[in-house]
Amino acid sequence: MIDNKNNNYVLIMAGGVGSRFWPKSRNHFPKQFIDILGTGQSLLQLTYERFLKICPKENIYILSNQQYLGLIQDQLAGISADNILLEPSRNNTAPCIAYASYKILNANPDANIVVAPSDHLILKESEFLDRISQALDYTAENDALLTLGISPTRPDTGYGYINFQKEGVGGVHKVERFMEKPVLEKAVEYVANGDYLWNAGIFIWRAESIQNAFREHAPEIHQLFEQGNTLYNTDAEALFIAEYYPQSPNISIDYAILEKAANVYTIPADIGWSDLGTWASLHEVAEKDGFNNSVSVSDKYLSNTQNCLIQVPKGKGVVIDGLENYIIVDDANVLLIYPKEKEQEIKEVSMQMVAAFGEDYL
């Protein structure tokens, strides 16, 4: 177990739009800021509180977009402005991770970093914290880029996969390669094989290790952010980022680093994980009635209705007859009634609504 928590840092990625959760998740109020689970806390708040057990709040950084500054400050009361890193342009995950990592390395050469999404569900928190501590112990002593891999429970085509070596040392396994989201036949093959894990997008590494990886595998990004080494953690940092950050390439950390590096490892983890990437994934973990319906309000009358997810505003009653396998979401100026098996179309449908009727539907 890591004793020196002051060397532990966490980067919480909170800049996404969550368009597959439309119309609940909107451009101005995306998924990570919503109490989507009905717990009284947003996904961001739950994530932040979870990582307070890993390191002090001064070492937790929220990586987001300027547009969401007010939401972050409202939801994370007392967070320092210095711990909110706002990207001036949406350039995917590699540049924002590089910026934060170089900034942290500038302040602490021994920094050990966890990178995690802000909008995922972790049901087994104790197991999760154990695996994170195990990973931090490993990366503190080894030049390794480490990811938590989720043992697959079904052949899901919505996740990327990690092909790993079954033989490991101390629960840490070498990664052979990262796989893109597969077609169903491939997903079935991966799960049957047993050498594949879901890629949860949770990474652990020393700041020095990720900087070396950028230097070797993404030199354009490295050279750009290396120029700020004398400016990070000074009053000149903001101006530097405003000018140089938009020049960075639009690329994910997976493409820029993890699919190229030779020192990538994984820890298989059973942490009750869901990326809550779609309405169906929420339905899977939500509380349901005897007919497998999940309904957000108590005043409801359902007949001949099963396997539905129904989200409506508080105070609104629900009466439904004869629906099966549907998503029903009533939010602000949009009513969505859509078959669950076609939920991957919702993102595109939302864009069509915006194109046809304007940005009020964004």
Side-chain angles (χ1 to χ4, degrees):
M1 183 71 69
I2 291 289
D3 291 324
N4 187 3
K5 287 189 174 184
N6 289 326
N7 285 339
N8 294 345
Y9 293 78
V10 176
L11 308 180
I12 298 177
M13 313 293 284
V17 176
S19 53
R20 286 181 176 81
F21 261 93
W22 186 85
K24 192 84 171 176
S25 180
R26 303 290 188 99
N27 190 53
H28 68 282
F29 202 87
K31 180 179 66 163
Q32 59 268 28
F33 301 108
I34 299 171
D35 176 17
I36 201 81
L37 298 169
T39 63
Q41 291 182 293
S42 71
L43 294 171
L44 173 63
Q45 290 170 318
L46 292 170
T47 302
Y48 185 79
E49 288 190 3
R50 188 179 300 128
F51 280 114
L52 287 173
K53 298 173 178 126
I54 293 293
C55 67
K57 66 178 183 179
E58 294 79 15
N59 290 9
I60 301 179
Y61 289 86
I62 310 300
L63 277 54
S64 191
N65 189 273
Q66 181 69 44
Q67 179 180 4
Y68 304 133
L69 174 60
L71 285 171
I72 295 167
Q73 291 175 322
D74 287 345
Q75 294 202 355
L76 303 179
I79 189 171
S80 169
D82 294 337
N83 289 75
I84 305 173
L85 304 185
L86 302 173
E87 52 190 15
S89 58
R90 293 184 186 274
N91 289 16
N92 216 314
T93 54
C96 66
I97 289 172
Y99 164 34
S101 300
Y102 285 35
K103 172 185 171 69
I104 290 169
L105 182 61
N106 178 272
N108 183 352
D110 297 319
N112 212 2
I113 297 174
V114 180
V115 181
S118 60
D119 55 358
H120 289 188
L121 174 67
I122 307 290
L123 290 174
K124 301 178 182 179
E125 183 168 296
S126 178
E127 179 74 12
F128 171 76
L129 295 173
D130 285 347
R131 295 288 76 75
I132 291 291
S133 294
Q134 178 187 358
L136 288 166
D137 283 340
Y138 187 83
T139 56
E141 301 295 332
N142 297 275
D143 179 25
L145 309 178
L146 204 151
T147 178
L148 290 194
I150 309 301
S151 302
T153 58
R154 60 186 181 278
D156 200 300
T157 61
Y159 301 144
Y161 285 72
I162 301 166
N163 181 211
F164 72 108
Q165 293 180 2
K166 273 293 189 63
E167 298 299 321
V169 178
V172 178
H173 301 255
K174 186 82 168 61
V175 169
E176 294 286 354
R177 54 186 172 163
F178 285 83
M179 317 298 292
E180 297 298 317
K181 295 176 182 178
V183 297
L184 182 59
E185 292 77 8
K186 275 290 179 187
V188 170
E189 181 183 316
Y190 292 166
V191 173
N193 181 283
D195 293 342
Y196 292 82
L197 303 165
W198 285 336
N199 181 7
I202 302 170
F203 307 113
I204 304 94
W205 45 55
R206 283 207 317 276
E208 182 181 19
S209 293
I210 194 62
Q211 185 183 69
N212 289 338
F214 275 112
R215 181 185 291 112
E216 180 177 356
H217 303 293
E220 181 182 357
I221 294 176
H222 171 70
Q223 290 160 16
L224 186 69
F225 289 103
E226 186 184 38
Q227 296 175 68
N229 280 345
T230 60
L231 307 174
Y232 295 131
N233 306 301
T234 73
D235 292 341
E237 177 182 325
L239 284 175
F240 168 77
I241 290 300
E243 179 179 352
Y244 285 90
Y245 191 100
Q247 300 175 30
S248 61
N250 187 325
I251 187 171
S252 72
I253 193 70
D254 298 70
Y255 282 127
I257 301 296
L258 295 170
E259 294 186 4
K260 301 175 183 176
N263 60 331
V264 183
Y265 296 82
T266 188
I267 294 178
D270 177 11
I271 55 176
W273 172 87
S274 171
D275 72 341
L276 293 180
T278 63
W279 285 114
S281 64
L282 174 62
H283 184 242
E284 185 176 323
V285 299
E287 186 176 334
K288 293 177 277 290
D289 64 19
F291 297 94
N292 210 39
N293 298 305
S294 173
V295 190
S296 63
V297 293
S298 57
D299 295 349
K300 57 186 182 291
Y301 182 85
L302 308 181
S303 59
N304 304 310
T305 295
Q306 56 188 348
N307 298 319
C308 290
L309 182 139
I310 303 159
Q311 291 246 338
V312 301
K314 285 183 171 62
K316 178 171 284 193
V318 172
V319 180
I320 296 176
D321 178 71
L323 278 186
E324 184 174 351
N325 295 319
Y326 266 79
I327 298 162
I328 302 101
V329 182
D330 184 355
D331 189 81
N333 58 346
V334 175
L335 171 62
L336 173 77
I337 304 173
Y338 222 78
K340 278 175 66 182
E341 68 267 20
K342 294 184 177 181
E343 67 163 355
Q344 295 294 338
E345 299 175 1
I346 290 176
K347 179 179 179 179
E348 179 59 32
V349 167
S350 71
M351 294 299 99
Q352 291 173 5
M353 282 287 290
V354 172
F357 304 110
E359 296 199 354
D360 284 347
Y361 294 102
L362 187 60

PDB file of all heavy atoms in Angstrom, residues 327-355:
ATOM      1  N   ILE A 327     -36.643   3.039 -24.644  1.00  0.00           N
ATOM      2  CA  ILE A 327     -36.087   4.130 -23.842  1.00  0.00           C
ATOM      3  C   ILE A 327     -37.046   5.297 -23.961  1.00  0.00           C
ATOM      4  O   ILE A 327     -37.363   5.737 -25.078  1.00  0.00           O
ATOM      5  CB  ILE A 327     -34.698   4.550 -24.368  1.00  0.00           C
ATOM      6  CG1 ILE A 327     -33.709   3.377 -24.275  1.00  0.00           C
ATOM      7  CG2 ILE A 327     -34.165   5.765 -23.611  1.00  0.00           C
ATOM      8  CD1 ILE A 327     -32.480   3.566 -25.141  1.00  0.00           C
ATOM      9  N   ILE A 328     -37.529   5.793 -22.832  1.00  0.00           N
ATOM     10  CA  ILE A 328     -38.435   6.945 -22.827  1.00  0.00           C
ATOM     11  C   ILE A 328     -37.818   8.005 -21.922  1.00  0.00           C
ATOM     12  O   ILE A 328     -37.635   7.769 -20.712  1.00  0.00           O
ATOM     13  CB  ILE A 328     -39.848   6.576 -22.306  1.00  0.00           C
ATOM     14  CG1 ILE A 328     -40.462   5.466 -23.167  1.00  0.00           C
ATOM     15  CG2 ILE A 328     -40.754   7.799 -22.312  1.00  0.00           C
ATOM     16  CD1 ILE A 328     -40.380   4.110 -22.539  1.00  0.00           C
ATOM     17  N   VAL A 329     -37.446   9.139 -22.484  1.00  0.00           N
ATOM     18  CA  VAL A 329     -36.825  10.211 -21.712  1.00  0.00           C
ATOM     19  C   VAL A 329     -37.536  11.520 -22.024  1.00  0.00           C
ATOM     20  O   VAL A 329     -37.592  11.953 -23.179  1.00  0.00           O
ATOM     21  CB  VAL A 329     -35.315  10.350 -22.033  1.00  0.00           C
ATOM     22  CG1 VAL A 329     -34.693  11.449 -21.165  1.00  0.00           C
ATOM     23  CG2 VAL A 329     -34.594   9.029 -21.813  1.00  0.00           C
ATOM     24  N   ASP A 330     -38.085  12.138 -20.987  1.00  0.00           N
ATOM     25  CA  ASP A 330     -38.749  13.441 -21.109  1.00  0.00           C
ATOM     26  C   ASP A 330     -37.880  14.456 -20.377  1.00  0.00           C
ATOM     27  O   ASP A 330     -37.752  14.411 -19.153  1.00  0.00           O
ATOM     28  CB  ASP A 330     -40.139  13.361 -20.471  1.00  0.00           C
ATOM     29  CG  ASP A 330     -40.942  14.648 -20.651  1.00  0.00           C
ATOM     30  OD1 ASP A 330     -40.381  15.629 -21.180  1.00  0.00           O
ATOM     31  OD2 ASP A 330     -42.113  14.672 -20.245  1.00  0.00           O
ATOM     32  N   ASP A 331     -37.241  15.342 -21.110  1.00  0.00           N
ATOM     33  CA  ASP A 331     -36.326  16.296 -20.481  1.00  0.00           C
ATOM     34  C   ASP A 331     -36.385  17.639 -21.201  1.00  0.00           C
ATOM     35  O   ASP A 331     -36.155  17.720 -22.413  1.00  0.00           O
ATOM     36  CB  ASP A 331     -34.886  15.767 -20.519  1.00  0.00           C
ATOM     37  CG  ASP A 331     -33.943  16.628 -19.695  1.00  0.00           C
ATOM     38  OD1 ASP A 331     -33.912  16.440 -18.464  1.00  0.00           O
ATOM     39  OD2 ASP A 331     -33.264  17.479 -20.270  1.00  0.00           O
ATOM     40  N   ALA A 332     -36.710  18.676 -20.441  1.00  0.00           N
ATOM     41  CA  ALA A 332     -36.763  20.041 -20.984  1.00  0.00           C
ATOM     42  C   ALA A 332     -37.628  20.064 -22.244  1.00  0.00           C
ATOM     43  O   ALA A 332     -38.805  19.733 -22.193  1.00  0.00           O
ATOM     44  CB  ALA A 332     -35.361  20.567 -21.239  1.00  0.00           C
ATOM     45  N   ASN A 333     -37.031  20.413 -23.384  1.00  0.00           N
ATOM     46  CA  ASN A 333     -37.811  20.597 -24.607  1.00  0.00           C
ATOM     47  C   ASN A 333     -37.795  19.375 -25.529  1.00  0.00           C
ATOM     48  O   ASN A 333     -38.115  19.487 -26.723  1.00  0.00           O
ATOM     49  CB  ASN A 333     -37.303  21.820 -25.382  1.00  0.00           C
ATOM     50  CG  ASN A 333     -35.824  21.706 -25.758  1.00  0.00           C
ATOM     51  OD1 ASN A 333     -35.120  20.846 -25.232  1.00  0.00           O
ATOM     52  ND2 ASN A 333     -35.361  22.576 -26.635  1.00  0.00           N
ATOM     53  N   VAL A 334     -37.426  18.211 -25.007  1.00  0.00           N
ATOM     54  CA  VAL A 334     -37.345  17.010 -25.850  1.00  0.00           C
ATOM     55  C   VAL A 334     -38.031  15.833 -25.158  1.00  0.00           C
ATOM     56  O   VAL A 334     -37.826  15.588 -23.963  1.00  0.00           O
ATOM     57  CB  VAL A 334     -35.879  16.622 -26.150  1.00  0.00           C
ATOM     58  CG1 VAL A 334     -35.819  15.296 -26.913  1.00  0.00           C
ATOM     59  CG2 VAL A 334     -35.188  17.716 -26.958  1.00  0.00           C
ATOM     60  N   LEU A 335     -38.841  15.112 -25.941  1.00  0.00           N
ATOM     61  CA  LEU A 335     -39.374  13.811 -25.529  1.00  0.00           C
ATOM     62  C   LEU A 335     -38.791  12.765 -26.466  1.00  0.00           C
ATOM     63  O   LEU A 335     -38.993  12.828 -27.678  1.00  0.00           O
ATOM     64  CB  LEU A 335     -40.902  13.786 -25.608  1.00  0.00           C
ATOM     65  CG  LEU A 335     -41.569  12.419 -25.400  1.00  0.00           C
ATOM     66  CD1 LEU A 335     -41.276  11.872 -24.009  1.00  0.00           C
ATOM     67  CD2 LEU A 335     -43.067  12.502 -25.653  1.00  0.00           C
ATOM     68  N   LEU A 336     -38.051  11.819 -25.900  1.00  0.00           N
ATOM     69  CA  LEU A 336     -37.427  10.754 -26.683  1.00  0.00           C
ATOM     70  C   LEU A 336     -38.117   9.434 -26.380  1.00  0.00           C
ATOM     71  O   LEU A 336     -38.238   9.040 -25.221  1.00  0.00           O
ATOM     72  CB  LEU A 336     -35.940  10.638 -26.334  1.00  0.00           C
ATOM     73  CG  LEU A 336     -35.184   9.460 -26.959  1.00  0.00           C
ATOM     74  CD1 LEU A 336     -34.878   9.745 -28.426  1.00  0.00           C
ATOM     75  CD2 LEU A 336     -33.894   9.176 -26.193  1.00  0.00           C
ATOM     76  N   ILE A 337     -38.609   8.758 -27.424  1.00  0.00           N
ATOM     77  CA  ILE A 337     -39.164   7.409 -27.305  1.00  0.00           C
ATOM     78  C   ILE A 337     -38.470   6.585 -28.382  1.00  0.00           C
ATOM     79  O   ILE A 337     -38.715   6.776 -29.572  1.00  0.00           O
ATOM     80  CB  ILE A 337     -40.694   7.403 -27.507  1.00  0.00           C
ATOM     81  CG1 ILE A 337     -41.370   8.366 -26.518  1.00  0.00           C
ATOM     82  CG2 ILE A 337     -41.249   5.990 -27.348  1.00  0.00           C
ATOM     83  CD1 ILE A 337     -42.853   8.558 -26.761  1.00  0.00           C
ATOM     84  N   TYR A 338     -37.589   5.663 -27.954  1.00  0.00           N
ATOM     85  CA  TYR A 338     -36.704   5.026 -28.923  1.00  0.00           C
ATOM     86  C   TYR A 338     -36.469   3.562 -28.541  1.00  0.00           C
ATOM     87  O   TYR A 338     -36.307   3.244 -27.357  1.00  0.00           O
ATOM     88  CB  TYR A 338     -35.357   5.752 -28.947  1.00  0.00           C
ATOM     89  CG  TYR A 338     -34.811   5.951 -30.342  1.00  0.00           C
ATOM     90  CD1 TYR A 338     -35.305   6.958 -31.160  1.00  0.00           C
ATOM     91  CD2 TYR A 338     -33.808   5.126 -30.836  1.00  0.00           C
ATOM     92  CE1 TYR A 338     -34.804   7.133 -32.433  1.00  0.00           C
ATOM     93  CE2 TYR A 338     -33.304   5.297 -32.100  1.00  0.00           C
ATOM     94  CZ  TYR A 338     -33.814   6.307 -32.902  1.00  0.00           C
ATOM     95  OH  TYR A 338     -33.324   6.474 -34.177  1.00  0.00           O
ATOM     96  N   PRO A 339     -36.436   2.663 -29.526  1.00  0.00           N
ATOM     97  CA  PRO A 339     -36.164   1.252 -29.227  1.00  0.00           C
ATOM     98  C   PRO A 339     -34.761   1.076 -28.646  1.00  0.00           C
ATOM     99  O   PRO A 339     -33.798   1.669 -29.140  1.00  0.00           O
ATOM    100  CB  PRO A 339     -36.272   0.564 -30.600  1.00  0.00           C
ATOM    101  CG  PRO A 339     -37.021   1.525 -31.466  1.00  0.00           C
ATOM    102  CD  PRO A 339     -36.676   2.883 -30.964  1.00  0.00           C
ATOM    103  N   LYS A 340     -34.658   0.241 -27.627  1.00  0.00           N
ATOM    104  CA  LYS A 340     -33.355   0.035 -26.992  1.00  0.00           C
ATOM    105  C   LYS A 340     -32.326  -0.529 -27.965  1.00  0.00           C
ATOM    106  O   LYS A 340     -31.147  -0.167 -27.904  1.00  0.00           O
ATOM    107  CB  LYS A 340     -33.500  -0.901 -25.788  1.00  0.00           C
ATOM    108  CG  LYS A 340     -33.977  -0.223 -24.530  1.00  0.00           C
ATOM    109  CD  LYS A 340     -34.216  -1.220 -23.409  1.00  0.00           C
ATOM    110  CE  LYS A 340     -32.934  -1.866 -22.956  1.00  0.00           C
ATOM    111  NZ  LYS A 340     -33.176  -2.870 -21.883  1.00  0.00           N
ATOM    112  N   GLU A 341     -32.774  -1.410 -28.863  1.00  0.00           N
ATOM    113  CA  GLU A 341     -31.800  -2.035 -29.766  1.00  0.00           C
ATOM    114  C   GLU A 341     -31.223  -1.050 -30.780  1.00  0.00           C
ATOM    115  O   GLU A 341     -30.241  -1.342 -31.458  1.00  0.00           O
ATOM    116  CB  GLU A 341     -32.410  -3.240 -30.487  1.00  0.00           C
ATOM    117  CG  GLU A 341     -33.499  -2.902 -31.496  1.00  0.00           C
ATOM    118  CD  GLU A 341     -34.891  -2.970 -30.882  1.00  0.00           C
ATOM    119  OE1 GLU A 341     -35.001  -2.908 -29.641  1.00  0.00           O
ATOM    120  OE2 GLU A 341     -35.864  -3.105 -31.659  1.00  0.00           O
ATOM    121  N   LYS A 342     -31.843   0.132 -30.889  1.00  0.00           N
ATOM    122  CA  LYS A 342     -31.337   1.153 -31.815  1.00  0.00           C
ATOM    123  C   LYS A 342     -30.682   2.331 -31.086  1.00  0.00           C
ATOM    124  O   LYS A 342     -30.481   3.380 -31.665  1.00  0.00           O
ATOM    125  CB  LYS A 342     -32.489   1.683 -32.680  1.00  0.00           C
ATOM    126  CG  LYS A 342     -33.086   0.664 -33.627  1.00  0.00           C
ATOM    127  CD  LYS A 342     -34.152   1.312 -34.504  1.00  0.00           C
ATOM    128  CE  LYS A 342     -34.716   0.332 -35.510  1.00  0.00           C
ATOM    129  NZ  LYS A 342     -35.750   0.971 -36.378  1.00  0.00           N
ATOM    130  N   GLU A 343     -30.310   2.119 -29.823  1.00  0.00           N
ATOM    131  CA  GLU A 343     -29.839   3.253 -29.032  1.00  0.00           C
ATOM    132  C   GLU A 343     -28.542   3.869 -29.567  1.00  0.00           C
ATOM    133  O   GLU A 343     -28.262   5.036 -29.311  1.00  0.00           O
ATOM    134  CB  GLU A 343     -29.639   2.845 -27.573  1.00  0.00           C
ATOM    135  CG  GLU A 343     -28.520   1.869 -27.355  1.00  0.00           C
ATOM    136  CD  GLU A 343     -28.101   1.816 -25.893  1.00  0.00           C
ATOM    137  OE1 GLU A 343     -28.614   2.601 -25.099  1.00  0.00           O
ATOM    138  OE2 GLU A 343     -27.239   0.980 -25.573  1.00  0.00           O
ATOM    139  N   GLN A 344     -27.752   3.096 -30.316  1.00  0.00           N
ATOM    140  CA  GLN A 344     -26.529   3.665 -30.888  1.00  0.00           C
ATOM    141  C   GLN A 344     -26.846   4.767 -31.901  1.00  0.00           C
ATOM    142  O   GLN A 344     -25.963   5.549 -32.278  1.00  0.00           O
ATOM    143  CB  GLN A 344     -25.691   2.569 -31.551  1.00  0.00           C
ATOM    144  CG  GLN A 344     -25.145   1.522 -30.587  1.00  0.00           C
ATOM    145  CD  GLN A 344     -24.121   2.081 -29.598  1.00  0.00           C
ATOM    146  OE1 GLN A 344     -23.514   3.108 -29.831  1.00  0.00           O
ATOM    147  NE2 GLN A 344     -23.960   1.400 -28.473  1.00  0.00           N
ATOM    148  N   GLU A 345     -28.109   4.853 -32.339  1.00  0.00           N
ATOM    149  CA  GLU A 345     -28.506   5.902 -33.294  1.00  0.00           C
ATOM    150  C   GLU A 345     -28.809   7.233 -32.611  1.00  0.00           C
ATOM    151  O   GLU A 345     -28.939   8.261 -33.287  1.00  0.00           O
ATOM    152  CB  GLU A 345     -29.759   5.455 -34.068  1.00  0.00           C
ATOM    153  CG  GLU A 345     -29.578   4.198 -34.886  1.00  0.00           C
ATOM    154  CD  GLU A 345     -30.889   3.753 -35.529  1.00  0.00           C
ATOM    155  OE1 GLU A 345     -31.920   4.441 -35.333  1.00  0.00           O
ATOM    156  OE2 GLU A 345     -30.887   2.725 -36.239  1.00  0.00           O
ATOM    157  N   ILE A 346     -28.949   7.230 -31.276  1.00  0.00           N
ATOM    158  CA  ILE A 346     -29.440   8.425 -30.587  1.00  0.00           C
ATOM    159  C   ILE A 346     -28.509   9.615 -30.774  1.00  0.00           C
ATOM    160  O   ILE A 346     -28.964  10.748 -30.973  1.00  0.00           O
ATOM    161  CB  ILE A 346     -29.669   8.115 -29.085  1.00  0.00           C
ATOM    162  CG1 ILE A 346     -30.879   7.181 -28.942  1.00  0.00           C
ATOM    163  CG2 ILE A 346     -29.887   9.396 -28.292  1.00  0.00           C
ATOM    164  CD1 ILE A 346     -31.153   6.718 -27.531  1.00  0.00           C
ATOM    165  N   LYS A 347     -27.218   9.393 -30.737  1.00  0.00           N
ATOM    166  CA  LYS A 347     -26.267  10.488 -30.944  1.00  0.00           C
ATOM    167  C   LYS A 347     -26.503  11.154 -32.297  1.00  0.00           C
ATOM    168  O   LYS A 347     -26.553  12.383 -32.405  1.00  0.00           O
ATOM    169  CB  LYS A 347     -24.834   9.969 -30.847  1.00  0.00           C
ATOM    170  CG  LYS A 347     -23.779  11.038 -31.080  1.00  0.00           C
ATOM    171  CD  LYS A 347     -22.376  10.455 -30.936  1.00  0.00           C
ATOM    172  CE  LYS A 347     -21.322  11.516 -31.182  1.00  0.00           C
ATOM    173  NZ  LYS A 347     -19.942  10.966 -31.023  1.00  0.00           N
ATOM    174  N   GLU A 348     -26.668  10.331 -33.344  1.00  0.00           N
ATOM    175  CA  GLU A 348     -26.885  10.866 -34.685  1.00  0.00           C
ATOM    176  C   GLU A 348     -28.237  11.567 -34.787  1.00  0.00           C
ATOM    177  O   GLU A 348     -28.368  12.616 -35.419  1.00  0.00           O
ATOM    178  CB  GLU A 348     -26.786   9.734 -35.715  1.00  0.00           C
ATOM    179  CG  GLU A 348     -27.020  10.173 -37.155  1.00  0.00           C
ATOM    180  CD  GLU A 348     -26.052  11.242 -37.625  1.00  0.00           C
ATOM    181  OE1 GLU A 348     -24.899  11.247 -37.164  1.00  0.00           O
ATOM    182  OE2 GLU A 348     -26.467  12.085 -38.456  1.00  0.00           O
ATOM    183  N   VAL A 349     -29.254  10.984 -34.149  1.00  0.00           N
ATOM    184  CA  VAL A 349     -30.579  11.603 -34.161  1.00  0.00           C
ATOM    185  C   VAL A 349     -30.543  12.984 -33.513  1.00  0.00           C
ATOM    186  O   VAL A 349     -31.164  13.936 -33.993  1.00  0.00           O
ATOM    187  CB  VAL A 349     -31.602  10.694 -33.434  1.00  0.00           C
ATOM    188  CG1 VAL A 349     -32.898  11.442 -33.152  1.00  0.00           C
ATOM    189  CG2 VAL A 349     -31.889   9.462 -34.281  1.00  0.00           C
ATOM    190  N   SER A 350     -29.785  13.114 -32.414  1.00  0.00           N
ATOM    191  CA  SER A 350     -29.688  14.419 -31.753  1.00  0.00           C
ATOM    192  C   SER A 350     -29.054  15.451 -32.679  1.00  0.00           C
ATOM    193  O   SER A 350     -29.478  16.611 -32.716  1.00  0.00           O
ATOM    194  CB  SER A 350     -28.878  14.297 -30.461  1.00  0.00           C
ATOM    195  OG  SER A 350     -27.501  14.072 -30.716  1.00  0.00           O
ATOM    196  N   MET A 351     -28.052  15.023 -33.442  1.00  0.00           N
ATOM    197  CA  MET A 351     -27.408  15.949 -34.390  1.00  0.00           C
ATOM    198  C   MET A 351     -28.376  16.351 -35.507  1.00  0.00           C
ATOM    199  O   MET A 351     -28.362  17.498 -35.978  1.00  0.00           O
ATOM    200  CB  MET A 351     -26.157  15.288 -34.985  1.00  0.00           C
ATOM    201  CG  MET A 351     -25.034  15.031 -33.980  1.00  0.00           C
ATOM    202  SD  MET A 351     -24.391  16.545 -33.197  1.00  0.00           S
ATOM    203  CE  MET A 351     -25.262  16.533 -31.627  1.00  0.00           C
ATOM    204  N   GLN A 352     -29.217  15.403 -35.930  1.00  0.00           N
ATOM    205  CA  GLN A 352     -30.205  15.714 -36.963  1.00  0.00           C
ATOM    206  C   GLN A 352     -31.235  16.721 -36.455  1.00  0.00           C
ATOM    207  O   GLN A 352     -31.663  17.616 -37.187  1.00  0.00           O
ATOM    208  CB  GLN A 352     -30.889  14.428 -37.433  1.00  0.00           C
ATOM    209  CG  GLN A 352     -29.974  13.498 -38.213  1.00  0.00           C
ATOM    210  CD  GLN A 352     -30.622  12.164 -38.520  1.00  0.00           C
ATOM    211  OE1 GLN A 352     -31.800  11.934 -38.238  1.00  0.00           O
ATOM    212  NE2 GLN A 352     -29.843  11.251 -39.105  1.00  0.00           N
ATOM    213  N   MET A 353     -31.623  16.579 -35.179  1.00  0.00           N
ATOM    214  CA  MET A 353     -32.549  17.534 -34.574  1.00  0.00           C
ATOM    215  C   MET A 353     -31.945  18.935 -34.548  1.00  0.00           C
ATOM    216  O   MET A 353     -32.605  19.931 -34.867  1.00  0.00           O
ATOM    217  CB  MET A 353     -32.906  17.093 -33.156  1.00  0.00           C
ATOM    218  CG  MET A 353     -33.912  15.979 -33.076  1.00  0.00           C
ATOM    219  SD  MET A 353     -35.604  16.508 -33.498  1.00  0.00           S
ATOM    220  CE  MET A 353     -36.011  17.532 -32.077  1.00  0.00           C
ATOM    221  N   VAL A 354     -30.686  19.007 -34.163  1.00  0.00           N
ATOM    222  CA  VAL A 354     -30.003  20.307 -34.106  1.00  0.00           C
ATOM    223  C   VAL A 354     -29.893  20.910 -35.501  1.00  0.00           C
ATOM    224  O   VAL A 354     -30.146  22.103 -35.695  1.00  0.00           O
ATOM    225  CB  VAL A 354     -28.607  20.141 -33.469  1.00  0.00           C
ATOM    226  CG1 VAL A 354     -27.807  21.440 -33.587  1.00  0.00           C
ATOM    227  CG2 VAL A 354     -28.736  19.732 -32.009  1.00  0.00           C
ATOM    228  N   ALA A 355     -29.522  20.076 -36.479  1.00  0.00           N
ATOM    229  CA  ALA A 355     -29.378  20.575 -37.853  1.00  0.00           C
ATOM    230  C   ALA A 355     -30.705  21.071 -38.415  1.00  0.00           C
ATOM    231  O   ALA A 355     -30.760  22.074 -39.135  1.00  0.00           O
ATOM    232  CB  ALA A 355     -28.806  19.471 -38.745  1.00  0.00           C
TER     233      ALA A 355
END
